[in-house]
Amino acid sequence: IQVFGEGVFLLFSEEALQEWEKHSAGFIDSRLNSIINRYNEGNVGYLPVPTARFVALHTMSHLLIRQLSFESGYSSGSIRERIYAEEGQAGILIYTADSDSEGSLGGLVQQGELHRLLPTIAAALDTASWCSNDPVCSEMETQGVMGLNKASCHSCTLISETSCTMNNLMLDRKLLLGDEKGNGLMSDVLNKIKSGPFFIESKILMAELIAFVKLKNELCSNNPIPKRDKFIKFGFITEREGISGSKNAL
């Protein structure tokens, strides 16, 4: 089946993630232990083992999908995600793929351009720093199905069931954004956003977060990704050689 699609892939620095996991170990354990306990108690073998990396990246993906649905022209139910959070992996793919023309509107490609992507990230993080259900949402010990979520609800983090690969589970805003008790993965970025004019200068975004923008690819089973795809690295743009890709890779 031929499908058409587009998407944005965010690749996070392995070094920065390991540094956060090391220096914020106490805070991470306080946020993650209850999810791990609920995971071990339930029959949820279809879900990956919850790790700080996975929960933070999964939450980031949801926030971006919510923000992109306002700016890209796609409904939130049309945008999907893939989370790459195994050992040695740290990435988020936000994409749409369909057999009709809705998969090629160009909205995600346009929002993936550097001058639009950075404000989108900033808006997503800033919006998520406060939920209309706070302080209830942020202070709940567990919530969601089988108690596999923490600070996440329909007002701030959850998306359409058709968009989420994990049934809207394993989400926690505080693990991503931090609070007075510890630093989340994107705490430094959020502090810079709130402190004044938005300039991406933090370690994880300026020097080490890479956005790979797939430029209007037609995703077929044997259709290679065009050679003029670009890695957009915050600060500069470089060309690279083509790679093979397919719908199955998503």
Side-chain angles (χ1 to χ4, degrees):
I1 298 175
Q2 185 179 40
V3 297
F4 303 90
E6 56 182 344
V8 178
F9 180 73
L10 301 180
L11 178 64
F12 290 77
S13 165
E14 179 69 25
E15 181 183 349
L17 271 164
Q18 289 180 359
E19 183 177 335
W20 170 66
E21 290 167 344
K22 177 180 178 181
H23 292 133
S24 299
F27 175 69
I28 290 172
D29 288 343
S30 69
R31 301 299 304 175
L32 205 59
N33 283 343
S34 60
I35 295 179
I36 293 174
N37 290 337
R38 296 278 183 164
Y39 177 88
N40 292 333
E41 293 170 0
N43 184 18
V44 288
Y46 62 94
L47 295 173
V49 176
T51 63
R53 177 179 307 216
F54 178 85
V55 174
L57 294 181
H58 190 205
T59 305
M60 182 72 181
S61 174
H62 277 225
L63 301 184
L64 287 174
I65 287 174
R66 290 170 66 95
Q67 188 64 34
L68 285 168
S69 69
F70 290 111
E71 300 176 3
S72 67
Y74 289 105
S75 67
S76 60
S78 299
I79 306 175
R80 305 172 189 174
E81 65 175 0
R82 285 291 184 271
I83 312 299
Y84 302 93
E86 298 293 333
E87 189 68 28
Q89 297 180 346
I92 301 168
L93 174 63
I94 298 175
Y95 72 99
T96 183
D98 211 318
S99 57
D100 61 19
S101 60
E102 187 175 353
S104 58
L105 294 177
L108 286 181
V109 167
Q110 188 176 50
Q111 291 304 317
E113 294 173 356
L114 185 62
H115 66 285
R116 291 187 176 94
L117 180 61
L118 300 187
T120 297
I121 293 172
L125 295 176
D126 188 39
T127 301
S129 66
W130 184 83
C131 173
S132 60
N133 287 328
D134 280 341
V136 175
C137 175
S138 61
E139 295 180 1
M140 288 282 286
E141 180 61 26
T142 61
Q143 56 180 313
V145 178
M146 295 177 285
L148 288 172
N149 288 336
K150 297 238 350 146
S152 57
C153 69
H154 284 284
S155 296
C156 60
T157 311
L158 304 189
I159 58 176
S160 170
E161 293 285 352
T162 59
S163 298
C164 179
T165 57
M166 303 297 162
N167 296 337
N168 271 326
L169 300 175
M170 298 187 183
L171 299 163
D172 184 10
R173 283 184 299 130
K174 283 195 172 183
L175 192 61
L176 180 69
L177 304 177
D179 61 13
E180 66 281 355
K181 297 178 182 178
N183 289 328
L185 177 61
M186 303 295 271
S187 289
D188 290 343
V189 179
L190 181 62
N191 291 336
K192 289 180 181 296
I193 293 169
K194 290 183 173 295
S195 64
F198 178 56
F199 297 100
I200 296 293
E201 296 177 349
S202 77
K203 180 178 181 182
I204 195 164
L205 280 181
M206 181 62 181
E208 296 169 301
L209 174 62
I210 300 173
F212 166 42
V213 183
K214 232 174 357 180
L215 300 176
K216 296 184 179 179
N217 292 320
E218 192 176 296
L219 299 179
C220 308
S221 59
N222 296 309
N223 193 41
I225 295 174
K227 288 189 175 182
R228 291 191 62 80
D229 283 358
K230 296 178 180 179
F231 278 111
I232 295 186
K233 189 168 184 177
F234 295 95
F236 22 35
I237 299 177
T238 58
E239 299 288 344
R240 60 131 194 183
E241 293 300 320
I243 60 174
S244 295
S246 69
K247 180 178 182 293
N248 292 334
L250 301 177

